[in-house]
Amino acid sequence: MNFPHFFFRSTGLALAAVILGAFTPETALAADMQRTAGASLSAGDVAPGRLFGRDVREGIGPGRVSVSNPSSPKLPLAEALAPETRRSKSTVVHVPPGSAATKLSLSIDAPDEAWVMLIPRGNNAKAGEEALREVTMLDPQGRRADLKAERRANAQMGVDPARLKTEGVTRPITMLRLEKEMGRGQYEVQVGRKAAELGLAVEVRVPGSSIELSLTASAMQLFPGDDGYVTVGLQSDAKVDHVRYEAVLYTPRFEKDRVVPVVKVGNAHRAMVSRVLNEKDEPGAWVLEVRAVGSAGGQSFDRLAQTSFGLAVPTARIDSVGRARLVRDAAGKVAALEVDVVLESAAVDRYEVTGTLVATDAKGAERPVAEAQVTDQLGAGTHTLTLRFEAGHAGLSKLDGTYALRGLQLYSLGTNALYHRLNQGLGVRFPAVRASELAAAEVTPAIEHLLREGEFNLVP
């Protein structure tokens, strides 16, 4: 790998710099680098703000490793991983184990096609069956509705209760299928002593309703102190009279942890997750649960939704990316395509930088031709890692022209966490080159297999 250093090699050049007063090694470096500060982020990008000095010394070792692999141009360029929107037309009401007999109120605004599931806690089927005998459901007119709803559910699912009883099959869950004639409004679930002591979850699914709760995280990976949030949306055909949002976080061990404020920003509501997280919190996959309770068109509703996101405590970021270059061998062939990536680190860790080299086909579509990774144990400070794409790997596709860098990513191997990702790679482009100028690739067994499979035979 080549690591260009900018320094004065002669007294004459140094004297010129003093006289001119404008040229310094740092100036030359800055002219060659594209900085990530202020870069526009696209869907799926992740960029840390504040860095934290948390060393990772266990399970990592020193030694720089650089790897290049060919990519099949037949495969489309990987889509940017962007947060998914979680949608819900359901809710769940819990009776904690050890509770006293109680009554639950369920807001059901579209009883046609609605389902109610009564789920006892624990794995004891017999105890669950006994508990469910003490649970009844009344419709908005006060009439018992659970027996008829259970028969409808059995019929729709093709379940024969008599056969189940004969075969000794126990069902520690009751499925209730409602119907339009049962009416809209507040249903009541009466939970007896045994059921309350055991604990019970009541899930209501209303697929026919127009009222839908949606959650969208601002990024798949959030960082403490940054402006990370989850957008909370509520759609309804009827005018929403009022709504109250409640949000709570669950740790990576799915333990209920803390309340999250939901604030209105413009026309949207946001659960301000990063406000309640800090660098001492456990890294990993956290879950946000949001409940929306209100009324629309004069009808009460209750919706519950969950979404997850990664929490990382970043100790490094990509500071800048250098000018892409072609590296030629003694015969004048292009042996590699290289680009320097400068990292800013605040702690010891083993960091990995990855990138994808793409070419443009005859139809103007970008095709992946090679991937490169470089990893090293680094401490606090500024460090340069060089992504080196073997020219032979790029040449297997027979696509030439101007190659570009995409999917630039910084990963912490010590914490198994993504710290920085720029899918467009700051728009870095290599000098134009013809396929005939590229050195031949060493045909490894893996490449030989791909050649036999015709993975590099791209027909635009």
Side-chain angles (χ1 to χ4, degrees):
M1 292 181 288
N2 293 332
F3 296 91
H5 299 276
F6 297 90
F7 55 92
F8 296 116
R9 294 183 179 273
S10 69
T11 306
L13 183 57
L15 180 60
V18 172
I19 294 174
L20 294 175
F23 182 88
T24 66
E26 291 75 14
T27 305
L29 179 63
D32 287 338
M33 308 301 286
Q34 297 185 56
R35 303 186 66 86
T36 60
S40 298
L41 300 181
S42 58
D45 284 355
V46 173
R50 177 185 169 194
L51 300 182
F52 301 89
R54 298 175 59 170
D55 290 347
V56 178
R57 297 184 182 274
E58 295 184 4
I60 64 172
R64 184 166 299 191
V65 178
S66 178
V67 178
S68 173
N69 289 296
S71 297
S72 172
K74 287 186 174 181
L75 298 176
L77 194 61
E79 291 288 336
L81 294 175
E84 296 181 357
T85 297
R86 302 291 183 179
R87 304 182 183 279
S88 173
K89 293 185 178 182
S90 65
T91 191
V92 179
V93 181
H94 294 279
V95 178
S99 299
T102 186
K103 296 179 181 179
L104 305 176
S105 180
L106 308 179
S107 300
I108 301 180
D109 59 295
D112 44 325
E113 300 183 4
W115 288 82
V116 175
M117 283 157 276
L118 308 174
I119 310 167
R121 295 295 183 96
N123 298 319
N124 189 325
K126 183 178 180 181
E129 288 285 351
E130 292 178 354
L132 287 175
R133 294 192 185 100
E134 293 189 353
V135 180
T136 58
M137 185 176 72
L138 307 179
D139 68 15
Q141 286 72 44
R143 300 169 300 196
R144 186 164 182 177
D146 54 303
L147 299 178
K148 183 179 179 181
E150 186 171 8
R151 289 195 296 269
R152 284 176 54 83
N154 290 337
Q156 182 159 340
M157 295 185 297
V159 175
D160 184 353
R163 182 180 175 184
L164 286 176
K165 187 175 181 180
T166 302
E167 295 177 353
V169 178
T170 57
R171 294 175 296 121
I173 183 172
T174 293
M175 308 281 289
L176 308 179
R177 175 71 161 78
L178 307 189
E179 60 181 345
K180 185 177 182 179
E181 287 71 20
M182 293 180 178
R184 301 164 55 190
Q186 298 297 117
Y187 283 68
E188 182 180 288
V189 176
Q190 299 176 346
V191 183
R193 179 182 59 81
K194 289 184 178 179
E197 288 179 351
L198 184 65
L200 185 72
V202 181
E203 182 175 357
V204 182
R205 297 183 181 179
V206 197
S209 174
S210 69
I211 303 172
E212 181 180 81
L213 178 65
S214 64
L215 304 178
T216 308
S218 58
M220 295 182 65
Q221 186 93 336
L222 301 183
F223 305 114
D226 288 359
D227 189 22
Y229 56 86
V230 173
T231 299
V232 180
L234 186 69
Q235 294 77 41
S236 173
D237 288 348
K239 181 180 180 296
V240 176
D241 302 315
H242 70 274
V243 61
R244 183 183 78 256
Y245 295 109
E246 301 171 354
V248 65
L249 272 177
Y250 289 80
T251 69
R253 286 164 281 104
F254 204 68
E255 298 172 348
K256 195 171 184 179
D257 189 76
R258 68 196 73 172
V259 173
V260 178
V262 179
V263 301
K264 189 172 184 180
V265 181
N267 295 324
H269 284 82
R270 292 178 179 176
M272 308 305 291
V273 176
S274 289
R275 287 188 184 179
V276 300
L277 292 171
N278 59 64
E279 66 274 17
K280 296 181 181 180
D281 284 317
E282 179 182 355
W286 288 65
V287 173
L288 177 73
E289 182 177 84
V290 178
R291 174 170 249 112
V293 180
S295 65
Q299 174 62 49
S300 298
F301 65 83
D302 185 348
R303 296 291 183 269
L304 187 75
Q306 292 181 340
T307 190
S308 61
F309 57 87
L311 173 68
V313 182
T315 61
R317 65 165 64 90
I318 299 172
D319 176 79
S320 52
V321 180
R323 181 177 298 170
R325 59 186 177 272
L326 306 178
V327 179
R328 297 183 182 271
D329 60 20
K333 290 283 189 177
V334 176
L337 299 92
E338 293 184 345
V339 61
D340 293 331
V341 180
V342 178
L343 306 183
E344 177 189 352
S345 171
V348 174
D349 198 348
R350 188 166 185 87
Y351 298 106
E352 179 185 74
V353 174
T354 62
T356 300
L357 188 69
V358 302
T360 304
D361 66 16
K363 295 184 178 179
E366 289 189 340
R367 301 280 182 172
V369 295
E371 295 180 349
Q373 303 89 33
V374 57
T375 174
D376 199 357
Q377 178 181 310
L378 305 172
T382 300
H383 310 275
T384 299
L385 295 179
T386 300
L387 283 174
R388 179 183 175 92
F389 301 92
E390 296 296 332
H393 293 161
L396 290 169
S397 66
K398 299 181 177 60
L399 292 173
D400 54 17
T402 302
Y403 294 103
L405 176 67
R406 297 287 184 261
L408 181 62
Q409 180 173 292
L410 171 63
Y411 194 82
S412 161
L413 296 178
T415 62
N416 291 321
L418 174 68
Y419 284 169
H420 209 159
R421 179 170 57 205
L422 299 170
N423 289 300
Q424 294 303 310
L426 290 177
V428 173
R429 302 180 73 81
F430 290 80
V433 63
R434 296 188 299 272
S436 60
E437 296 180 73
L438 303 176
E442 177 185 354
V443 181
T444 63
I447 291 178
E448 186 176 8
H449 172 74
L450 294 173
L451 287 168
R452 285 198 307 268
E453 295 295 319
E455 287 299 325
F456 303 111
N457 300 333
L458 178 66
V459 179

